[in-house]
Amino acid sequence: MKVVAKGHTTVLTATQGDVDLFLNNVTNQHDSYKNQNLILDLTHDKSTTIQSIKAFSDLSKLHSKGKKSFVIVAENIDFNALPKSLVVVPSILEAHDIIDMDEIERDLGF
C-alpha cells in the first residue's frame, strides 16, 4: 500500500493487486487516517469488481461519521450499479474535486 498525504487529504493506493487485503489494511490502520479526507485508489488492480467495491461500505460509513470525505477511485466499473452511499469516481483528479466540493459544503454548514 502506497500512502501520499497532501494537505487535508491522504491518497492510499492498492499496490498488491488484492482488494480484500487492501481493505483489511486500511481498516486496521483507520485510526491513523480518521482525521483526513481519504482517497482509495484501486486503479492498479484490474480485477476490481462491483462486489469488492461494495465491501468498503462499512468503512466509508465509519469514516464519514467523522465529517471527512471517503472517495474510491476505480476504472472500468458500472458506476450505476454501485450504492449511492459510496462515492466512486474514475480518476484521482475527480476524487480531489469531490473532496474540494465536500470541504466547501462543510465550511458553509451543510
Side-chain angles (χ1 to χ4, degrees), residues 79-94:
F79 295 100
N80 294 322
L82 292 166
K84 301 288 184 214
S85 60
L86 284 174
V87 179
V88 184
V89 295
S91 73
I92 293 285
L93 179 61
E94 288 178 78

Side-chain angles (χ1 to χ4, degrees), residues 39-58:
I39 297 173
L40 304 183
D41 183 1
L42 304 177
T43 57
H44 291 86
D45 185 358
K46 302 305 178 200
S47 65
T48 302
T49 64
I50 291 172
Q51 283 306 111
S52 61
I53 292 174
K54 286 181 179 179
F56 287 88
S57 290
D58 290 339

Side-chain angles (χ1 to χ4, degrees), residues 8-49:
H8 54 75
T9 302
T10 298
V11 180
L12 305 174
T13 304
T15 57
Q16 298 156 333
D18 184 347
V19 175
D20 293 330
L21 179 63
F22 179 64
L23 172 59
N24 210 15
N25 288 341
V26 173
T27 302
N28 290 337
Q29 298 175 20
H30 183 258
D31 282 346
S32 304
Y33 309 117
K34 67 181 179 183
N35 296 322
Q36 292 281 312
N37 296 306
L38 282 183
I39 297 173
L40 304 183
D41 183 1
L42 304 177
T43 57
H44 291 86
D45 185 358
K46 302 305 178 200
S47 65
T48 302
T49 64

